[in-house]
């Protein structure tokens, strides 16, 4: 079925969730699970910062907005990829605010039929309003 | 220490990293990344979801590619990373992390990279591009 979307639903914030404070233990466990040994990612102390991809562990309370076209079966989907724009690193004690917007919805037709792609943008800031990351999550649905 | 802009040429290859992706490491990542789900932690649970066995989170592949980039260019240099998850990354196997420099921008002193994670037989399971700020 062809995808019909109302352009006005794009870019609208549909979730705003706060997390934190982030602990040193969380930052270190994340980095170590990636095999990191750099002291700035793995040793407690004033120099400790989060691994650059630490932010991708956060998402909004509501993952999809209600305005998603009903043509798309949101119950079955695959993570198709992510684009991350990085800002300042996460530090111990930071609070993280995640604002979610529906960024893009598009359709692709392949050999096996139509696939729908939904891109949810998470804009993440710390308690000082500094940008931590903008993460575009691309999900594929049949 | 950050790699210097003058020391980078288009076409340069990042030193390839080969690593055995242990299931316990993937579980540790799933726990630390708040992605504790059968598909990432348990073969039987993953099969019930129609998968061949537990898989590696795409986010973990991004983390590993970031580590590859930082090992080459220095910590804190990554400005952007975009990835496409093309295939399932199955733990309990060896993967390779690879990258090349595709473009330099003198004005911003940045470099564009192609990066990818490939299976032992050379299939590119995760592909991406990255922007790094050089010294």
């Amino acid at each position: 079925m062809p995808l019909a979307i109302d352009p006005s639903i794009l870019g609208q914030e549909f979730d705003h969730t706060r997390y934190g404070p982030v602990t040193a233990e969380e930052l270190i466990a994340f980095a170590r699970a990636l095999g990191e040994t750099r002291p700035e990612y793995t040793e407690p102390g004033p120099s400790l910062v989060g691994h650059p991809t630490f932010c991708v562990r956060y998402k909004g309370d509501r993952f999809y907005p209600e305005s998603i076209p009903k043509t798309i079966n949101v119950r079955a989907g695959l993570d198709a990829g992510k684009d991350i724009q990085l800002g300042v690193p996460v530090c111990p004690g930071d609070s993280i605010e995640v604002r979610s917007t529906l960024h893009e919805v598009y359709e692709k037709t392949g050999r096996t039929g139509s696939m729908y792609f939904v891109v949810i943008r998470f804009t993440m800031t710390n308690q000082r309003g500094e940008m931590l990351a903008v993460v575009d999550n691309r999900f594929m649905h049949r | 220490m950050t790699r210097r802009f003058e020391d980078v040429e288009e076409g340069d290859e990042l030193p390839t990293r080969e690593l055995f992706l242990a299931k316990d490491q993937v579980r540790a990542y799933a726990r630390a990344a708040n992605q504790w789900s059968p598909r990432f932690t348990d073969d039987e649970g993953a099969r019930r979801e129609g998968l061949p066995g537990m898989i590696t989170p795409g986010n973990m592949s991004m983390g590993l590619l970031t580590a590859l980039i930082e090992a080459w260019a220095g910590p804190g240099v990554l400005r952007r990373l975009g990835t496409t998850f093309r295939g399932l990354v199955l733990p309990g196997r060896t993967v390779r992390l690879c990258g090349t420099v595709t473009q330099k921008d003198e004005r911003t002193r940045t470099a564009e990279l192609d990066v990818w994670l490939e299976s032992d037989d050379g299939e590119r399971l995760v592909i991406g591009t990255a922007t790094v700020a050089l010294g």
Side-chain angles (χ1 to χ4, degrees):
Chain A
M1 183 183 292
L3 187 63
I5 64 162
D6 173 2
S8 70
I9 67 174
L10 301 178
Q12 284 186 4
E13 183 178 312
F14 65 88
D15 190 89
H16 182 187
T17 304
R18 290 182 177 84
Y19 296 93
V22 175
T23 67
E25 291 73 22
E26 288 174 310
L27 297 178
I28 293 168
F30 185 91
R32 285 194 175 147
L34 289 170
E36 279 289 352
T37 57
R38 288 180 185 276
E40 58 265 44
Y41 299 145
T42 58
E43 290 182 10
S47 301
L48 179 71
V49 294
H51 185 271
T53 60
F54 181 79
C55 274
V56 298
R57 77 194 292 276
Y58 295 101
K59 53 184 186 290
D61 272 346
R62 281 192 305 148
F63 195 75
Y64 274 177
E66 290 170 6
S67 54
I68 286 279
K70 303 298 180 220
T71 318
I72 300 174
N73 176 14
V74 297
R75 292 177 186 278
L78 284 174
D79 192 351
K82 285 185 174 63
D83 292 284
I84 306 179
Q85 183 190 337
L86 291 160
V88 300
V90 178
C91 297
D94 276 358
S95 298
I96 296 179
E97 290 201 29
V98 182
R99 295 175 185 271
S100 307
T101 55
L102 178 62
H103 185 61
E104 197 175 5
V105 182
Y106 58 96
E107 181 180 2
K108 277 188 175 177
T109 304
R111 283 174 298 177
T112 57
S114 287
M115 297 173 288
Y116 303 109
F117 289 84
V118 179
V119 182
I120 303 294
R121 172 167 288 183
F122 298 136
T123 302
M124 304 187 189
T125 52
N126 63 20
Q127 66 280 11
R128 292 178 293 280
E130 297 166 323
M131 195 269 277
L132 298 167
V134 177
V135 182
D136 285 348
N137 291 263
R138 196 164 60 255
F139 281 85
M140 187 194 77
H141 301 276
R142 291 280 180 190
Chain B
M1 190 164 161
T2 304
R3 184 172 289 269
R4 284 171 46 81
F5 182 82
E6 289 75 14
D7 296 337
V8 172
E9 298 293 339
E10 291 177 7
D12 281 357
E13 293 186 0
L14 280 62
T16 296
R17 283 186 153 187
E18 190 168 284
L19 66 96
F20 180 77
L21 208 45
K23 290 183 179 180
D24 278 346
Q25 187 184 357
V26 172
R27 290 188 188 102
Y29 179 86
R31 186 178 296 110
N34 202 22
Q35 287 192 279
W36 192 260
S37 152
R39 63 172 54 190
F40 303 132
T41 57
D42 168 40
D43 282 326
E44 280 307 310
R47 286 188 194 107
R48 281 195 291 274
E49 293 186 35
L51 296 164
M54 64 181 271
I55 60 172
T56 305
N59 292 350
M60 183 173 185
S61 296
M62 294 187 79
L64 295 172
L65 287 169
T66 299
L68 168 84
I69 293 166
E70 291 201 331
W72 173 75
V77 300
L78 187 63
R79 295 293 174 265
R80 181 196 62 81
L81 176 63
T83 52
T84 299
F85 307 145
R86 300 173 72 193
L88 300 177
V89 179
L90 301 174
R93 301 178 189 196
T94 298
V95 296
R96 276 190 298 274
L97 302 158
C98 313
T100 60
V101 178
T102 57
Q103 201 174 350
K104 287 175 68 178
D105 185 332
E106 190 144 8
R107 186 181 57 81
T108 57
R109 294 183 72 82
T110 58
E112 295 293 314
L113 312 177
D114 277 352
V115 292
W116 64 96
L117 180 153
E118 65 180 28
S119 64
D120 204 20
D121 56 7
E123 184 184 2
R124 295 187 181 190
L125 303 171
V126 179
I127 59 172
T129 61
T131 305
V132 294
L134 300 169

